[in-house]
Each structure stands twice: as structure tokens, then as C-alpha cells.
């Protein structure tokens, strides 16, 4: 009965929404926006990650990752786990159909290393191999381009137990061997590879520790482990890039890069101290990885402050690191206001993508850039029958503002080539668990079948992506709500 009621309400909602969007479409206005305003080679997508959305955590030979361990220690805000998550493992065909209906041009997802190679090294799990082949084939059959992340916080627990994962240089060899399997098996169809997702919060400030979900060192303290761990991540990145370039790229004609979490930092005042504090924040979050992969060194500010706590690259490593990427992925959500004493993130600030991209252009020789994550979270009520769960006008406002903000910076010569909404559908959020919703599609986590339901933003993005020349008007009507 409940199910029937729900279906009924979303049915009515569908018509209501289409009517609403129709109204919006026919009223011309300054903020009208269409995918056709962007260059044809620009790509619009949405994303998910393996542990946050796949579920089937103990099925078909998958073994735990460090993220499984973390959540099973009750460390997620709502004690949620990714055991079932959005169950994409079983529902990928349905999901790809929804993507197609939405007009999605690209889909960003990650491979669960412990599904593919359960012990971190050694035997490949045929069922894991098969799953990603199926998913990739399904995407390709609808003309949806996969952007695939190799490591999205979830390396195999076996490697943590064996040698402390990121903290050990052995990680480099295992990561490269895993990447080799992925390139070899999927590289004929996957043309965009991301080595690591947000490695710049893994080692420092994220849980304040050297592995993303190990927690045994104080937040932000200049202890060596985080820098050692990220040093090994950077060397793992460069080893995978080197492998791809020497063994696969010529034949497969793909691109490989890395995706960072990038806040946009602004000083609270124009005082010398606030500006210096802001430069420090940028160095310790963005420049940390950018200087490494563009110039093969760490930022001077970091070296000054950390001294020998910060590892060194050998001459060979520096040579290999220099220019070791085809693109940079930027995950961007917030502006952070900085003064000498604190750095305070603002909630859901829009419009700072151009500042970030211009910064990268000026400082790092105008690389190809993708906004690999951007989005808006709502909280609390995830009862799909409640309007609050699907009337997400704030999300639409945020997406509209941010997508629109990219146009001038593209015209100003940045190599911004794509934009991905985080997320395609609700999943297990890193700390917020199931209490935070980023999805265009909502997921009913109380339903055994993990029923998907479209939010208003689903219709908005669909209408924006439509290649019929109509403009999507996110009018004052919508903003006013
Ligand atoms: C965590 O840190 C404490 C204090 O430094 C130490 O005694 C303990 O052995 C550490 N635990 C692990 C698992 O490393
Ligand atoms: C430099 O690194 C590459 C890749 O790891 C390796 O093949 C090469 O032997 C190294 N060269 C030296 C001189 O260490
Ligand atoms: C446009 O690009 C130029 C040259 O890189 C730069 O100096 C200028 O600040 C950019 N304009 C904006 C609005 O970012």
C-alpha cells in the first residue's frame, strides 16, 4: 500500500514538474541557460563512487576496504554503512537508463579495488572484473562516456593490515599493478582515468590522519605520517601515469589525471596577515599536489614550515613528476574565509568556480580542467513522500549559478572541459552517512529495493541538457521560493 501511494504521488509530481518546467521554459529571462551555450566538446555529467553507491559489499568475492572498516566501527555520523548503499551493483542497468533519460553525457564512478583484486594484490576476481565490464558496456551502449576513478578513499583493508597502506612505499607497486589490470581490461572503452580522488584531504585534515579512515593522530598537527602517506600517493599517481603513457595511451588514446578537493580560499580582510594566512591555506591544500605534478616539487611555504617532516623527491622522481597528468579534476563546493586564526567554510557558496579555474590557469600553465564534483546537500527527511525530499529548489539554484558562472571563464581562455554534478543519486556520504543527500535522484533507503525517485533538480538538469535549443529558465519564480 505504501509503495502504491508513493508511486502515485511521484506520478502526479512528474506531470506537475513538467508543467512547471514548461512554464519556466517559455518565459524568457536573463538567467536562461542551455547546454548549447557551451562548446560541443565540453562534457556534462554526474557522479557516484563505489563504496558510497554500489552496496553488495560482501557479494561475489568482494573483500572489505578501509572504508568498510571505518564505517563498521560506527564512525559515520548516523552509523550508516555501505553494505547495501544505493545498491547500484544490482541496479546499474536501471540507473544507466535513468542517466540516458536525463541526457547525461558522462558518468563518473570509481572501481572498488577490493572487488576487483580482493587482497590488494594477486588474483583478479572474475565477478568483480565482470561487473565493471557490464557497467561500462551499458554506459557505452547509451553513448555515455565513463570517467573512472581508481582510488576513491577505499583501498583494500588487506593492504592496511599487511603494511599500513599509504604509509608504506610498497603501496606504489600494488597500486600500479591494480591500475595495470584496469587499463588492460577496460581501457579500450574508458578514455578518462582518474588515479586518486581528493588525495589532498586524505593525509591531512580529513580525519587528521595518514590513512583516510585510520584515526590515531591529532588533527592538523605536523606529524610526519600524513606527509609520508601523501608522498606515497603522489608517487603512486606518477607510477600509474607513467605506465599508462608508456604501455597504453598511444593505442587506447585516453587521458589520465588526478582529482583534488579544492576549496576557494579568501582572506577575511585585506590585511597582510590575513592574505598570508590565505596563501598558506592554498599551499597546504591545492599547491601541495599541483606543484608536485606540474613542477616536481613541494611548495616553498610547506617546505619552510615543515622542514624535514616533508619528504623530498629524488631527481628521477622530479623528472617523472613534471607534467605527470593530462587533466586536473577539481571537486569544488565551498568558499573558505581565512584569517590568521581560523579558516571558516561557508555553506553552499556559489560562483567561485571561475576564481578557482583562473587561479589554476595562471599558476599552472592552463591545464585541461574538469569540475569533477559540484553539488548541494540537503539534510534530514528522506521520506520520499514528503515534499521536502524532492522539492530541491536550493539545489537547482546552486547548480544553475555554478554552471552559468563557467561561461565567462571558458570565454576567457581557460581549458575548462567538463562539469559533473555530485551526485547522480543519493548514497552514503563520507561523514554525513544517509542523513545528507546530494543526489539529483533521491533513493528510498527504507525500501528494500532502494527505489529511486526524481527530485525537481533531475527535471531541471534534464531540461538544461536537452539539445533542442530550448533554454532552461530558472526564473525568479523558482528562486523566490
Ligand atoms: C594510537 O596512539 C596512542 C597514543 O600515541 C598509542 O598508544 C596507540 O598505540 C596508537 N594506536 C594504534 C592502533 O596505532
Ligand atoms: C626512474 O624511475 C623509473 C620509473 O619508476 C624507473 O623505471 C627508472 O629506472 C628510474 N631511474 C633511476 C635512475 O632511478
Ligand atoms: C582573463 O584572463 C586574463 C589572462 O589570463 C587574466 O589576466 C584575467 O584576470 C582573466 N579575467 C578574469 C575575469 O578572470
Amino acid at each position: 500500500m505504501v509503495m502504491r501511494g508513493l508511486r502515485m504521488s511521484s506520478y502526479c509530481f512528474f506531470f506537475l514538474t513538467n508543467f512547471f518546467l514548461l512554464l519556466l521554459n517559455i518565459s524568457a529571462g536573463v538567467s536562461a541557460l542551455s547546454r548549447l551555450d557551451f562548446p560541443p566538446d565540453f562534457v556534462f555529467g554526474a557522479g557516484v563512487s563505489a563504496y558510497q553507491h554500489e552496496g553488495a559489499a560482501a557479494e561475489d568475492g568482494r573483500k572489505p576496504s578501509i572504508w568498510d572498516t571505518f564505517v563498521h566501527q560506527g564512525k559515520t555520523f548516523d552509523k550508516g554503512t555501505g553494505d547495501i548503499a544505493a545498491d547500484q551493483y544490482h541496479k546499474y542497468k536501471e540507473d544507466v537508463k535513468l542517466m540516458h533519460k536525463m541526457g547525461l553525457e558522462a558518468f563518473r564512478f570509481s572501481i572498488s579495488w577490493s572487488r576487483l583484486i580482493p587482497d590488494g594484490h594477486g588474483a583478479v576476481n572474475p565477478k568483480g572484473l565482470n561487473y565493471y565490464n557490464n557497467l561500462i558496456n551499458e554506459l557505452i551502449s547509451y553513448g555515455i562516456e565513463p570517467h573512472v576513478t581508481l582510488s576513491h578513499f577505499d583501498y583494500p583493508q588487506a593492504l592496511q593490515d599487511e603494511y599500513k597502506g599509504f604509509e608504506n612505499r610498497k603501496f606504489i607497486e600494488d597500486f600500479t599493478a591494480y591500475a595495470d589490470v584496469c587499463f588492460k581490461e577496460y581501457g579500450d572503452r574508458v578514455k578518462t582515468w582518474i588515479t586518486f580522488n581528493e588525495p589532498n584531504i586524505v593525509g591531512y585534515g580529513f580525519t587528521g590522519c595518514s590513512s583516510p579512515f585510520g584515526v590515531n593522530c591529532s588533527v592538523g598537527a605536523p606529524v610526519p605520517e600524513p606527509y609520508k602517506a601523501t608522498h606515497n600517493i603522489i608517487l603512486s599517481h606518477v607510477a600509474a601515469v607513467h605506465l599508462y603513457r608508456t604501455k597504453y595511451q598511444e593505442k587506447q588514446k585516453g587521458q589520465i589525471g588526478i582529482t583534488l578537493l579544492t576549496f576557494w580560499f579568501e582572506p577575511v580582510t585585506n590585511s597582510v596577515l590575513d592574505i598570508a594566512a590565505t596563501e598558506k591555506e592554498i599551499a597546504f591544500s591545492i599547491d601541495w599536489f599541483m606543484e608536485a605534478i606540474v613542477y616536481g616539487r613541494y611548495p616553498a611555504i610547506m617546505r619552510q614550515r615543515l622542514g624535514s617532516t616533508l619528504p623530498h623527491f629524488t631527481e628521477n622522481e622530479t623528472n617523472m613528476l613534471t607534467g605527470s597528468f593530462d587533466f586536473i579534476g577539481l571537486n569544488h563546493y565551498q568558499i573558505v574565509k581565512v584569517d590568521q586564526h581560523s579558516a571558516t567554510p561557508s555553506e553552499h557558496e556559489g560562483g567561485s568556480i571561475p576564481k578557482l579555474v583562473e587561479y589554476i590557469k595562471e599558476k599552472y600553465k592552463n591545464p585541461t580542467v574538469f569540475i569533477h564534483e559540484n553539488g548541494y546537500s540537503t539534510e534530514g527527511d528522506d521520506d520520499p513522500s514528503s515534499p521536502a525530499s524532492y522539492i530541491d529548489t536550493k539545489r537547482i539554484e546552486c547548480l544553475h549559478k555554478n554552471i552559468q558562472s563557467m561561461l565567462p571563464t571558458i570565454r576567457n581562455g581557460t581549458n575548462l572541459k567538463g562539469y559533473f554534478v555530485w551526485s547522480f543519486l543519493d548514497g552514503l556520504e563520507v561523514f554525513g552517512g544517509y542523513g545528507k543527500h546530494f543526489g539529483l535522484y533521491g533513493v528510498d533507503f527504507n525500501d528494500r529495493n532502494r527505489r529511486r525517485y526524481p527530485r525537481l533538480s533531475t527535471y531541471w538538469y534534464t531540461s538544461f541538457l536537452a539539445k533542442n535549443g530550448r533554454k532552461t529558465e530558472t526564473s525568479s519564480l523558482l528562486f523566490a521560493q
Side-chain angles (χ1 to χ4, degrees):
M1 281 315 279
V2 174
M3 279 304 293
R4 213 171 130 211
L6 291 179
R7 223 176 267 136
M8 201 54 201
S9 64
S10 58
Y11 189 67
C12 293
F13 177 57
F14 180 78
F15 282 105
L16 191 78
T17 311
N18 272 359
F19 179 63
F20 191 43
L21 286 174
L22 194 67
L23 268 181
L24 296 179
N25 275 326
I26 52 181
S27 58
V30 281
S31 60
L33 189 63
S34 157
R35 190 269 171 265
L36 297 174
D37 297 334
F38 289 79
D41 70 341
F42 192 95
V43 68
F44 280 97
V48 300
S49 92
Y51 191 66
Q52 291 170 280
H53 297 88
E54 268 177 18
E59 258 179 77
D60 290 348
R62 182 185 179 277
K63 286 191 182 174
S65 72
I66 53 167
W67 202 341
D68 296 67
T69 308
F70 176 78
V71 300
H72 280 277
Q73 289 166 348
K75 301 268 174 59
T76 313
F77 181 70
D78 64 351
K79 312 254 182 293
T81 77
D83 290 358
I84 304 176
D87 201 23
Q88 186 159 73
Y89 187 75
H90 296 112
K91 295 173 80 79
Y92 71 93
K93 281 194 177 175
E94 179 188 332
D95 284 348
V96 175
K97 275 200 186 75
L98 294 177
M99 290 171 211
H100 172 67
K101 236 175 101 184
M102 195 187 265
L104 223 57
E105 298 163 5
F107 179 57
R108 177 172 176 252
F109 66 94
S110 71
I111 293 176
S112 162
W113 181 349
S114 63
R115 191 183 293 291
L116 189 63
I117 305 173
D119 294 318
H121 47 72
V124 171
N125 170 20
K127 288 187 174 161
L129 187 67
N130 204 27
Y131 171 66
Y132 296 107
N133 263 326
N134 291 342
L135 172 61
I136 291 163
N137 288 343
E138 199 69 13
L139 290 166
I140 300 283
S141 75
Y142 284 100
I144 300 166
E145 176 187 328
H147 279 221
V148 180
T149 309
L150 295 172
S151 180
H152 196 117
F153 303 152
D154 57 348
Y155 64 75
Q157 180 63 33
L159 301 184
Q160 187 67 19
D161 298 342
E162 196 178 319
Y163 55 66
K164 287 194 166 180
F166 284 151
E167 280 188 56
N168 196 309
R169 283 184 81 100
K170 287 181 185 166
F171 184 88
I172 302 168
E173 193 182 319
D174 286 336
F175 179 76
T176 312
Y178 158 60
D180 199 5
V181 173
C182 295
F183 301 151
K184 178 167 140 264
E185 299 288 347
Y186 308 130
D188 56 334
R189 290 151 291 154
V190 173
K191 300 302 166 195
T192 306
W193 293 104
I194 299 141
T195 53
F196 289 92
N197 177 67
E198 299 183 356
N200 57 327
I201 55 160
V202 161
Y204 184 83
F206 182 42
T207 60
C209 202
S210 47
S211 82
F213 306 109
V215 261
N216 203 26
C217 42
S218 54
V219 177
V223 291
E225 284 81 5
Y227 300 102
K228 214 168 117 185
T230 41
H231 193 72
N232 290 335
I233 295 175
I234 291 169
L235 293 175
S236 302
H237 161 82
V238 75
V241 170
H242 180 74
L243 172 75
Y244 187 68
R245 286 185 168 169
T246 52
K247 198 168 157 190
Y248 296 100
Q249 195 164 37
E250 199 185 333
K251 195 161 144 227
Q252 298 184 344
K253 309 215 177 326
Q255 55 184 346
I256 186 164
I258 191 166
T259 293
L260 306 176
L261 179 65
T262 46
F263 296 106
W264 178 249
F265 297 95
E266 281 181 352
V268 172
T269 73
N270 278 330
S271 75
V272 174
L273 287 174
D274 287 0
I275 290 171
T278 305
E279 282 168 359
K280 187 210 125 195
E281 290 295 333
I282 295 174
F284 273 75
S285 62
I286 302 175
D287 298 343
W288 185 10
F289 277 72
M290 289 303 297
E291 288 216 17
I293 61 176
V294 176
Y295 299 112
R297 61 176 190 231
Y298 287 122
I301 297 180
M302 290 186 77
R303 181 64 64 199
Q304 274 161 22
R305 287 180 177 250
L306 295 169
S308 60
T309 299
L310 191 65
H312 288 269
F313 296 115
T314 65
E315 206 180 315
N316 190 25
E317 287 165 354
T318 293
N319 290 338
M320 300 228 342
L321 270 165
T322 305
S324 61
F325 61 92
D326 299 320
F327 66 85
I328 303 298
L330 304 173
N331 294 351
H332 177 71
Y333 294 93
Q334 286 160 304
I335 292 177
V336 176
K337 296 281 187 186
V338 184
D339 65 21
Q340 339 157 28
H341 310 294
S342 61
T344 316
S346 61
E347 276 292 306
H348 305 307
E349 198 78 40
S352 49
I353 289 175
K355 293 178 185 170
L356 179 62
V357 177
E358 291 285 348
Y359 174 80
I360 299 285
K361 173 180 104 179
E362 293 294 316
K363 189 150 183 192
Y364 296 108
K365 307 191 270 191
N366 202 10
T368 296
V369 166
F370 294 100
I371 303 300
H372 263 152
E373 285 183 24
N374 178 242
Y376 187 95
S377 71
T378 52
E379 276 173 39
D381 199 352
D382 65 348
D383 172 3
S385 63
S386 138
S389 64
Y390 55 81
I391 308 282
D392 58 346
T393 49
K394 291 271 189 220
R395 177 176 289 112
I396 295 175
E397 186 184 330
C398 171
L399 297 181
H400 187 127
K401 204 160 133 190
N402 283 329
I403 290 175
Q404 188 151 42
S405 79
M406 296 188 296
L407 280 168
T409 196
I410 293 168
R411 292 187 190 124
N412 197 39
T414 58
N415 275 319
L416 182 52
K417 294 294 182 195
Y419 174 91
F420 291 69
V421 176
W422 182 268
S423 49
F424 171 66
L425 81 172
D426 289 346
L428 176 80
E429 277 308 318
V430 176
F431 293 114
Y434 295 106
K436 274 207 172 208
H437 318 299
F438 273 92
L440 294 166
Y441 271 92
V443 174
D444 182 358
F445 291 104
N446 293 316
D447 173 24
R448 265 183 48 212
N449 293 316
R450 295 298 190 269
R451 190 182 66 91
R452 281 85 167 108
Y453 60 93
R455 297 204 165 102
L456 196 52
S457 56
T458 300
Y459 297 106
W460 182 84
Y461 204 40
T462 305
S463 173
F464 166 77
L465 291 171
K467 297 195 175 72
N468 56 12
R470 275 196 331 213
K471 299 265 184 183
T472 300
E473 168 70 19
T474 308
S475 70
S476 49
L477 205 96
L478 203 52
F479 284 144
Q481 289 196 353

